[in-house]
Amino acid sequence: MSSPATSNDREKVVSKLPGWLRQNLKVRAAQHGIEIQAAVEQGIRDWCNLASATDTVDTAGADSFSTFLPPGQWEEFRQIATDRRISLIQGLAQSIQLWLDVNPAPDVERPEITRRIIVCNQKGGVGKTAITAGLGEALAEDANTLHPVRVAKALTKALRASDTQADEAELKDNPLDIENLPGPGQNVLLVDFDPQCHLTNQLGATPLPMNGDSLTNHMAGDPKGDLRDLIVSVDDEAFGGRLHLLPACNDAFLLDVRLSAVRAREAALERALAPLEADYDVIIVDCPPSLGLSMDAAAYYGRRRESEKPGQSGALIVVQAEDSSADAYELLTTQIDDLRGDLQVDIDYLGIVVNLYDSRRGYIATSSLQGWVDIKDPRVVGLIGDLKEQKEAVRVKQPLLSYAPKSQQAVGMRALAREVM
């Protein structure tokens, strides 16, 4: 049946569709960036223009499905379905399946040069590890599945709200600010570059033994095997084998001392990781809270390479909305700027992530957030709340985006991933 709709001069039509076909339609329409009603309209038009019906579609378990179509299209469709002696439900299913066949899932976009994201801040406790893990998880999510993502306007709303010392309710996501989007489907390597092994432990992996091989050994020019053999998969169906981890070892506490005897030590991390790059779209490095030689090596690894576009690789700085983060930020950016000048390289800032934010902490939090927003370059690309789900995920040693995939923090991590893509 159909009833007139007042918007856009279209009419609402109601029929039935099996759940699996409805889900395929939702995902494919999102992958192509079009509205479901536009896909259905095109599918019906193409089906009506065929000389005969297509293959029968299994419509068992079909339930109610509604959409909006141009005036008259449904009546034309009904007549053609009658002429072909098939039900409206079968005709609609064939039309949608035809659209799916004509519009296959697009290929996942792969970068020409492996992107290198350096997550850093020499201040400890700001949540660099949580951001590293969450960003990597969001980038690795399935491209054929829809995931809730906070859209840009929600972040803008939150940042503006900080200027008026909004309470926490003002900063919570409005359902209208959430979109269900396909995952990026990237192949991601997380590198635990911190001797404290927080990233390794949080993801349920085991730190590398002191008497074995490690990233430190490879950077110091004393490898004991193939670095690829140390990599472990973050086994969760949400990531489909696309997310991997290079665990840390406590021997990284001695890295700066060992690097002091290495020639061209700024390039030590790049020399170690370069053989792995062909296997990954993105490599994300969780840096230690340090301004030593290891940070120089990390920043140099994130530099813009020849033929690489600005903003593809670089430093992602994690801060909190409090004064000590501002002091640490100044020290870090000074180090990076000095490295730029000394080595004549371009090191891009990918943005600032304000982590563990809670406006209920009052003026210090809201005014500090406004201070980060006012910087403009680098701009704030993420605002992640201080909520319980992240802490729970760490406690049970599970990825946040599989432990609490619909939580505000997970939704924010996906938004961050799209801001830096």
Side-chain angles (χ1 to χ4, degrees):
M1 65 179 182
S2 65
S3 60
T6 58
S7 62
N8 299 324
D9 293 326
R10 300 172 79 91
E11 61 180 2
K12 182 178 181 180
V13 300
V14 179
S15 183
K16 289 186 176 182
L17 206 63
W20 65 268
L21 188 56
R22 183 202 310 265
Q23 184 63 24
N24 289 347
L25 174 63
K26 285 183 180 180
V27 173
R28 194 69 54 80
Q31 289 173 330
H32 286 278
I34 67 173
E35 294 184 353
I36 290 177
Q37 65 181 21
V40 175
E41 175 187 342
Q42 185 62 55
I44 290 177
R45 182 183 300 116
D46 291 344
W47 184 83
C48 289
N49 289 334
L50 295 175
S52 61
T54 59
D55 293 339
T56 299
V57 176
D58 182 4
T59 59
D63 55 14
S64 181
F65 173 79
S66 62
T67 188
F68 290 88
L69 297 175
Q73 187 182 45
W74 187 248
E75 289 305 318
E76 177 189 7
F77 168 73
R78 288 170 62 99
Q79 183 59 53
I80 293 176
T82 299
D83 293 343
R84 294 176 180 173
R85 299 183 179 181
I86 62 174
S87 68
L88 292 178
I89 296 173
Q90 180 61 217
L92 180 60
Q94 290 182 16
S95 299
I96 291 174
Q97 186 59 57
L98 176 61
W99 184 84
L100 292 170
D101 294 340
V102 172
N103 297 273
D107 293 333
V108 173
E109 293 186 14
R110 308 289 182 191
E112 294 182 4
I113 300 174
T114 299
R115 301 184 61 202
R116 300 153 328 279
I117 299 176
I118 311 304
V119 182
C120 52
N121 190 333
Q122 65 94 20
K123 182 181 183 300
V126 296
K128 295 186 295 293
T129 297
I131 296 301
T132 299
L135 175 59
E137 292 162 23
L139 288 171
E141 283 189 311
D142 186 12
N144 293 308
T145 304
L146 298 183
H147 312 274
V149 181
R150 185 175 63 200
V151 295
K153 64 180 178 181
L155 175 59
T156 301
K157 177 184 68 176
L159 297 179
R160 287 176 178 170
S162 72
D163 197 25
T164 60
Q165 299 186 36
D167 60 27
E168 188 68 16
E170 290 183 80
L171 296 179
K172 286 186 176 180
D173 292 325
N174 185 299
L176 297 178
D177 295 327
I178 303 296
E179 289 185 9
N180 289 316
L181 299 175
Q186 301 285 287
N187 295 313
V188 180
L189 175 64
L190 303 176
V191 177
D192 193 347
F193 196 42
D194 187 341
Q196 298 172 94
C197 307
H198 290 323
L199 180 61
T200 302
N201 289 322
Q202 283 189 21
L203 293 176
T206 302
L208 299 171
M210 287 285 288
N211 60 352
D213 202 6
S214 66
L215 177 59
T216 299
N217 288 337
H218 284 255
M219 292 180 64
D222 186 27
K224 298 181 180 180
D226 189 335
L227 193 62
R228 187 176 282 101
D229 294 337
L230 304 180
I231 294 174
V232 296
S233 176
V234 179
D235 291 326
D236 190 288
E237 63 180 15
F239 314 119
R242 291 176 297 274
L243 184 63
H244 297 91
L245 168 71
L246 178 57
C249 177
N250 293 139
D251 67 356
F253 280 115
L254 304 174
L255 179 58
D256 279 9
V257 174
R258 297 180 68 179
L259 284 180
S260 63
V262 175
R263 296 184 62 182
R265 53 182 175 262
E266 294 86 0
L269 182 59
E270 179 163 324
R271 287 195 296 268
L273 296 180
L276 308 177
E277 291 181 3
D279 298 331
Y280 297 99
D281 301 310
V282 186
I283 295 179
I284 307 176
V285 180
D286 183 25
C287 294
S290 166
L291 293 176
L293 298 179
S294 55
M295 186 60 220
D296 278 348
Y300 182 83
Y301 183 57
R303 79 191 186 288
R304 190 193 316 160
R305 294 177 180 172
E306 186 177 354
S307 301
E308 189 172 20
K309 295 179 181 179
Q312 294 296 294
S313 298
L316 185 66
I317 303 175
V318 181
V319 300
Q320 287 182 259
E322 39 78 38
D323 294 339
S324 60
S325 276
D327 297 335
Y329 171 82
E330 293 294 335
L331 292 171
L332 174 64
T333 54
T334 297
Q335 178 179 6
I336 292 176
D337 290 343
D338 287 346
L339 196 64
R340 283 169 161 173
D342 293 343
L343 300 180
Q344 295 297 297
V345 295
D346 293 316
I347 302 174
D348 295 329
Y349 291 113
L350 301 182
I352 296 171
V353 181
V354 182
N355 192 31
L356 300 173
Y357 182 71
D358 187 348
S359 65
R360 293 175 299 182
R361 292 174 182 148
Y363 175 73
I364 293 297
T366 57
S367 62
S368 295
L369 174 59
Q370 188 59 47
W372 294 119
V373 174
D374 290 342
I375 290 177
K376 305 298 183 186
D377 185 19
R379 66 188 178 91
V380 173
V381 293
L383 178 63
I384 307 297
D386 186 8
L387 301 171
K388 64 182 179 64
E389 286 82 4
Q390 177 64 56
K391 299 181 180 68
E392 291 172 352
V394 171
R395 173 64 65 85
V396 299
K397 296 186 176 182
Q398 291 184 19
L400 170 67
L401 271 66
S402 59
Y403 174 77
K406 296 182 180 180
S407 66
Q408 288 189 46
Q409 288 168 316
V411 168
M413 292 294 185
R414 296 187 186 103
L416 170 61
R418 282 158 175 79
E419 286 289 327
V420 303
M421 281 180 66

